[in-house]
Coordinates of all heavy atoms in Angstrom, one line a residue:
F129 N -7.0 -6.7 -14.8 CA -6.1 -6.4 -15.7 C -5.3 -7.6 -16.1 O -5.0 -7.8 -17.4 CB -5.0 -5.4 -15.1 CG -5.6 -4.0 -15.0 CD1 -5.0 -3.2 -13.9 CD2 -6.5 -3.5 -15.9 CE1 -5.6 -1.9 -13.8 CE2 -7.0 -2.2 -15.6 CZ -6.6 -1.4 -14.6
T134 N -3.7 -7.1 -20.0 CA -3.5 -5.8 -20.1 C -1.9 -5.5 -19.9 O -1.5 -5.9 -18.9 CB -4.4 -5.0 -19.2 OG1 -5.7 -5.1 -19.5 CG2 -4.0 -3.5 -19.2
D135 N -1.4 -4.7 -20.8 CA 0.0 -4.2 -20.5 C 0.0 -3.0 -19.7 O 0.9 -3.0 -18.8 CB 0.6 -4.0 -21.9 CG 0.8 -5.1 -22.8 OD1 1.4 -6.1 -22.4 OD2 0.2 -5.2 -23.9
V136 N -0.9 -2.1 -19.9 CA -0.8 -0.9 -19.1 C -2.3 -0.7 -18.7 O -3.1 -0.6 -19.5 CB -0.4 0.4 -19.9 CG1 -0.4 1.5 -18.9 CG2 1.0 0.1 -20.3
G137 N -2.6 -0.6 -17.3 CA -3.9 -0.5 -16.8 C -4.1 0.8 -16.0 O -3.2 1.2 -15.3
L138 N -5.2 1.4 -16.3 CA -5.6 2.6 -15.8 C -6.9 2.6 -14.9 O -7.6 1.7 -15.1 CB -5.8 3.8 -16.9 CG -4.7 3.8 -17.9 CD1 -5.0 4.9 -19.0 CD2 -3.3 4.3 -17.3
F177 N -1.6 3.5 -11.6 CA -1.1 3.0 -12.9 C -0.5 1.5 -12.7 O 0.3 1.3 -11.9 CB 0.0 3.9 -13.6 CG -0.5 5.3 -13.6 CD1 -0.4 6.2 -12.6 CD2 -1.2 5.8 -14.8 CE1 -0.9 7.5 -12.7 CE2 -1.5 7.1 -15.0 CZ -1.4 7.9 -13.9
Y178 N -0.9 0.7 -13.7 CA -0.5 -0.7 -13.6 C 0.3 -1.0 -14.9 O 0.0 -0.7 -16.0 CB -1.8 -1.7 -13.5 CG -1.3 -3.1 -13.8 CD1 -0.7 -4.0 -12.9 CD2 -1.5 -3.6 -15.2 CE1 -0.4 -5.3 -13.1 CE2 -1.2 -5.0 -15.4 CZ -0.6 -5.8 -14.4 OH -0.4 -7.1 -14.7
F179 N 1.5 -1.6 -14.7 CA 2.3 -2.0 -15.8 C 2.6 -3.5 -15.7 O 3.0 -4.0 -14.7 CB 3.6 -1.2 -15.8 CG 3.4 0.3 -16.0 CD1 3.1 1.1 -15.0 CD2 3.5 0.7 -17.4 CE1 3.0 2.4 -15.3 CE2 3.2 2.1 -17.6 CZ 3.0 2.9 -16.5
K180 N 2.3 -4.3 -16.8 CA 2.5 -5.7 -16.7 C 3.8 -6.1 -16.5 O 4.2 -7.2 -15.7 CB 2.0 -6.3 -18.1 CG 2.1 -7.8 -18.1 CD 1.5 -8.3 -19.4 CE 1.6 -9.8 -19.6 NZ 1.0 -10.2 -20.9
L184 N 8.7 -3.0 -19.4 CA 8.0 -2.2 -20.2 C 7.8 -0.7 -19.7 O 8.0 0.3 -20.5 CB 6.5 -2.7 -20.4 CG 5.4 -1.9 -21.1 CD1 5.7 -1.7 -22.5 CD2 4.1 -2.6 -20.8
L188 N 9.0 2.7 -21.8 CA 8.1 3.7 -22.1 C 8.5 5.1 -21.5 O 8.4 6.1 -22.1 CB 6.7 3.3 -21.6 CG 6.1 2.2 -22.2 CD1 4.7 1.8 -21.6 CD2 5.8 2.3 -23.7
C208 N 4.2 8.4 -20.5 CA 4.6 7.1 -20.9 C 3.3 6.3 -21.3 O 3.5 5.4 -22.1 CB 5.3 6.4 -19.7 SG 4.4 6.0 -18.3
I209 N 2.1 6.6 -20.9 CA 0.9 6.1 -21.4 C 0.8 6.4 -22.8 O 0.5 5.4 -23.6 CB -0.4 6.6 -20.6 CG1 -0.2 6.4 -19.0 CG2 -1.6 5.8 -21.0 CD1 0.1 5.0 -18.6
A212 N 3.0 4.1 -24.8 CA 2.4 2.8 -24.9 C 1.4 2.7 -26.0 O 1.4 1.8 -26.8 CB 1.8 2.4 -23.5
V217 N 0.9 -1.3 -27.6 CA 0.6 -2.4 -26.5 C -0.8 -2.1 -26.0 O -1.4 -1.1 -26.2 CB 1.7 -2.2 -25.4 CG1 3.0 -2.4 -25.9 CG2 1.6 -0.9 -24.7
K218 N -1.3 -3.2 -25.3 CA -2.7 -3.1 -24.8 C -2.8 -2.2 -23.6 O -2.3 -2.5 -22.5 CB -3.2 -4.4 -24.4 CG -4.7 -4.5 -24.2 CD -5.2 -5.9 -24.0 CE -6.8 -6.0 -23.7 NZ -7.2 -7.2 -23.5
V219 N -3.5 -1.1 -23.8 CA -3.8 -0.1 -22.7 C -5.4 -0.2 -22.5 O -6.2 0.0 -23.3 CB -3.4 1.3 -23.1 CG1 -3.7 2.3 -21.9 CG2 -2.0 1.4 -23.4
S220 N -5.8 -0.3 -21.2 CA -7.1 -0.4 -20.8 C -7.3 0.2 -19.5 O -6.5 0.6 -18.8 CB -7.6 -1.9 -20.8 OG -7.0 -2.6 -19.7
S221 N -8.7 0.6 -19.3 CA -8.9 1.4 -18.1 C -10.3 0.9 -17.5 O -11.2 0.4 -18.2 CB -9.2 2.8 -18.5 OG -9.7 3.6 -17.3

Side-chain angles (χ1 to χ4, degrees):
F129 288 149
T134 296
D135 294 302
V136 180
L138 311 172
F177 302 86
Y178 166 84
F179 296 87
K180 185 177 180 180
L184 172 63
L188 297 174
C208 71
I209 306 303
V217 302
K218 186 173 182 178
V219 180
S220 63
S221 177

